[in-house]
Amino acid sequence: GGGSGIIDAASAAMSLAIPEEEVVYVLTDDRGGHHGAALPTYRRGKNVVPPPPRDRIGLVNTVLSPVKVAAAAAEEARAVCLAAYGSAPDVEIYGPPALRMAYVQGHLHHCVFELVKNSLRAVQERFQGDDLPPPPVKVIVAEGMEDVTIKVSDQGAGISRSEIRKIWTYLYTTADSPLPDMDEDTNEVPTVLAGYGCGLPLSRLYARYFGGDLQIISMDGYGTDAYLHLNRLGTAEEPLPGRV
């Protein structure tokens, strides 16, 4: 009932350390009544943050456009490349603009950003100094019967077979670590494209948690293809351990 909803919302507010006077409780249901669950709305001064839109279920965007998310992530990765190198290869996006699916937008953005960022670095370093412009990084979004797959393809010289297994190891990186260049006074690090060694393992973890996967297929001496498989949410169970 409404009473338990208010208690739950109040507990959530307390756990977030939000002052009591800044919390507004909205009791409503789909019929517009006032006896449903309590939805906390947070007030900051005169600003009131409304409840999430109807196309959101928690962190899940039920009408997410993977093409738009991929384009935004690629644009962000290219901006980082420009800041680090002074130039950046083009990124071409292919896919059905009308495609919609349910997925966690932040996780998808992170995965595509990491894959495109790695491809941009590989292409930039391979072709830097050439008279001709570098080949573009290609991002292809395809809709299948079970999955939506995003392929990130580059011509950045590829990865050797002896190194391919190491890319899934946390803290493993082929780039120089940016930490030695960190400003001790401000804790700021220079703009870099790589060096922390968490991007690929964490991206695969995100994908597998929701029933998908991340695969890297590389041709040493030519380039690398990354396949990000996204399970349509609602068709897979949460991968919890068998024993607790």
Side-chain angles (χ1 to χ4, degrees):
S4 61
I6 292 177
I7 295 174
D8 292 341
S11 299
M14 291 176 62
S15 66
L16 294 172
I18 299 173
E20 183 177 357
E21 64 273 12
E22 294 185 2
V23 180
V24 179
Y25 299 104
V26 181
L27 298 179
T28 183
D29 61 10
D30 292 338
R31 298 182 300 275
H34 297 280
H35 52 275
L39 302 177
T41 302
Y42 307 115
R43 186 192 304 275
R44 293 294 183 188
K46 295 182 180 180
N47 298 322
V48 176
V49 180
R54 292 183 178 272
D55 58 6
R56 299 275 181 154
I57 302 176
L59 295 176
V60 177
N61 183 345
T62 59
V63 291
L64 179 141
S65 169
V67 174
K68 289 184 178 179
V69 174
E75 182 180 359
E76 182 179 339
R78 194 168 184 273
V80 175
C81 185
L82 281 168
Y85 291 99
S87 62
D90 291 336
V91 180
E92 299 177 352
I93 311 290
Y94 303 91
L99 174 61
R100 296 293 185 273
M101 66 179 298
Y103 209 78
V104 180
Q105 183 167 335
H107 288 185
L108 178 57
H109 183 101
H110 170 86
C111 293
V112 177
F113 171 80
E114 288 294 334
L115 295 176
V116 174
K117 176 175 66 93
N118 289 344
S119 290
L120 288 171
R121 171 183 168 238
V123 173
Q124 181 67 25
E125 292 186 352
R126 182 185 185 187
F127 293 94
Q128 193 168 21
D130 285 8
D131 295 332
L132 297 176
V137 173
K138 296 183 179 181
V139 180
I140 302 101
V141 181
E143 180 182 13
M145 294 295 295
E146 299 180 357
D147 298 338
V148 171
T149 301
I150 300 178
K151 175 184 176 182
V152 179
S153 181
D154 69 62
Q155 298 179 38
I159 308 169
S160 65
R161 285 194 301 150
S162 62
E163 297 291 320
I164 196 72
R165 295 180 182 178
K166 300 177 183 178
I167 65 175
W168 304 115
T169 303
Y170 285 95
L171 303 183
Y172 171 78
T173 177
T174 58
D176 294 332
S177 174
L179 296 181
D181 297 327
M182 182 177 65
D183 189 321
E184 296 181 357
D185 296 329
T186 62
N187 290 332
E188 293 183 355
V189 296
T191 301
V192 294
L193 243 66
Y196 298 103
C198 295
L200 285 178
L202 189 58
S203 296
R204 187 171 69 168
L205 181 67
Y206 281 155
R208 288 183 171 179
Y209 185 82
F210 292 112
D213 204 355
L214 173 60
Q215 297 175 312
I216 304 294
I217 300 176
S218 189
M219 182 184 293
D220 191 14
Y222 181 78
T224 301
D225 293 335
Y227 295 86
L228 178 63
H229 302 281
L230 309 175
N231 184 282
R232 295 178 180 274
L233 290 186
T235 62
E237 296 181 352
E238 184 178 11
L240 295 176
R243 296 181 180 179
V244 178

